[in-house]
Amino acid sequence: MAQEETRGAHSQDSALCSSLTTAELQHNWKEEKSRERPLKLLFQLPSHRETQTVFSRHVVFQVVVMRSGSFDSHRVSVERRYSDFSKLHQTLLQEFNEELDEISLPPKLLTGNFSEECLLERRRALQNYLSALSANPCVRRCAHFADFFTDPELRKAHSLLRAGQFHSALEMLKLVLQIQEKLAPWQSATFAVHTLAALAVCHRDLDEEEQAYAAADRALLTVRQYGPSQYRGPLLQLLVDVGFSLGRRVAQLQDEMLRLREAQRGRVDTRSLKEIVIQSFV
């Protein structure tokens, strides 16, 4: 009898598996694996390059950001100088002095000590430094830590956007979003809202309306629940305008925008999404 019940249970499991698509099975498998292995941030410094001007010479390190436990095979990287690491360390010391007692920044190399052996050792030391920082829960969730990997590129993207160089700004913003997605589990829910809004602006100015709609829609999902409130009206307006052009049903979006304006009464922010995005980094 017990054997028959066991065979029946196996039969039900087989029937359930056969009813799932391959994609669903893979997704379920990945979800199960993710639960078994907690997410961790991983860093690599696989290369460096030297730059030189008339008055100075310095080294730029490639910093690769990855996540473990989530089947993250996509490598995303930025470039940082030692001075960027030093600035991060000083900022973190001001906020987490005691938490950083056992984490030290590798010392600065002496002038002229740019041998390949020294630079290889420097890369290893800085990689270990980032790993030690990310192992600290307070630091890992700190906005300053996330800004180290995204802020220079985000500011560059906004400079390009203000200059009307939308293609270049778009590529920079895509890079920033990829890194933010890797850091997202340890940051605030609104971490990527501004980047998504900027992407929507660039796509729209390039007449890429499907992509503009998708970016704005993704941003609005977060803004509705968590803010920042100043983005909600402009995002709704962009979605209504672009959605109408694409032949989408926008009646619900229009109703939401009307209710929002009635709730704001005389305090309506008349700025467009593009104006808000640009002014955020002026």
Side-chain angles (χ1 to χ4, degrees), residues 135-182:
N136 184 303
C138 294
V139 174
R140 188 170 61 243
R141 291 176 169 82
C142 175
H144 298 305
F145 183 64
D147 288 344
F148 171 79
F149 301 99
T150 61
D151 195 61
E153 286 72 23
L154 198 53
R155 291 185 180 278
K156 177 63 175 178
H158 281 76
S159 296
L160 293 168
L161 197 157
R162 287 195 299 271
Q165 300 179 39
F166 300 115
H167 283 290
S168 298
L170 191 63
E171 293 308 308
M172 193 71 69
L173 289 167
K174 287 179 179 179
L175 171 63
V176 170
L177 183 62
Q178 288 174 338
I179 296 177
Q180 287 177 333
E181 288 171 341
K182 294 180 185 298

Side-chain angles (χ1 to χ4, degrees), residues 19-205:
S19 67
L20 296 174
T21 66
T22 300
E24 288 172 330
L25 287 170
Q26 291 176 340
H27 176 75
N28 292 343
W29 182 66
K30 289 181 179 181
E31 287 291 320
E32 185 64 29
K33 286 294 184 182
S34 295
R35 286 191 289 270
E36 293 175 4
R37 295 187 297 168
L39 287 176
K40 292 182 181 179
L41 279 171
L42 300 175
F43 307 98
Q44 291 181 355
L45 274 71
S47 65
H48 63 268
R49 61 182 179 87
E50 293 184 36
T51 62
Q52 189 167 0
T53 64
V54 176
F55 303 104
S56 66
R57 177 188 181 193
H58 61 265
V59 179
V60 179
F61 299 95
Q62 181 190 20
V63 181
V64 178
V65 185
M66 299 176 293
R67 279 193 333 207
S68 70
S70 61
F71 301 90
D72 185 4
S73 60
H74 184 56
R75 296 168 62 90
V76 182
S77 66
V78 292
E79 288 188 328
R80 295 292 181 268
R81 295 173 55 179
Y82 178 83
S83 59
D84 297 317
F85 286 89
S86 179
K87 181 180 178 181
L88 169 66
H89 193 70
Q90 294 305 314
T91 301
L92 293 176
L93 281 175
Q94 293 176 10
E95 190 162 347
F96 306 109
N97 193 3
E98 294 182 1
E99 288 85 350
L100 296 183
D101 280 346
E102 298 182 2
I103 303 176
S104 58
L105 177 70
K108 187 174 182 179
L109 291 176
L110 296 176
T111 303
N113 198 353
F114 286 90
S115 69
E116 283 299 312
E117 183 179 354
C118 287
L119 291 174
L120 177 59
E121 183 60 34
R122 169 51 53 94
R123 278 163 36 197
R124 290 171 180 163
L126 290 175
Q127 179 175 306
N128 292 336
Y129 170 73
L130 289 177
S131 297
L133 287 180
S134 68
N136 184 303
C138 294
V139 174
R140 188 170 61 243
R141 291 176 169 82
C142 175
H144 298 305
F145 183 64
D147 288 344
F148 171 79
F149 301 99
T150 61
D151 195 61
E153 286 72 23
L154 198 53
R155 291 185 180 278
K156 177 63 175 178
H158 281 76
S159 296
L160 293 168
L161 197 157
R162 287 195 299 271
Q165 300 179 39
F166 300 115
H167 283 290
S168 298
L170 191 63
E171 293 308 308
M172 193 71 69
L173 289 167
K174 287 179 179 179
L175 171 63
V176 170
L177 183 62
Q178 288 174 338
I179 296 177
Q180 287 177 333
E181 288 171 341
K182 294 180 185 298
L183 301 172
W186 302 279
Q187 295 298 313
S188 70
T190 62
F191 185 41
V193 164
H194 184 83
T195 305
L196 288 166
L199 280 166
V201 168
C202 285
H203 281 304
R204 190 180 187 189
D205 279 314

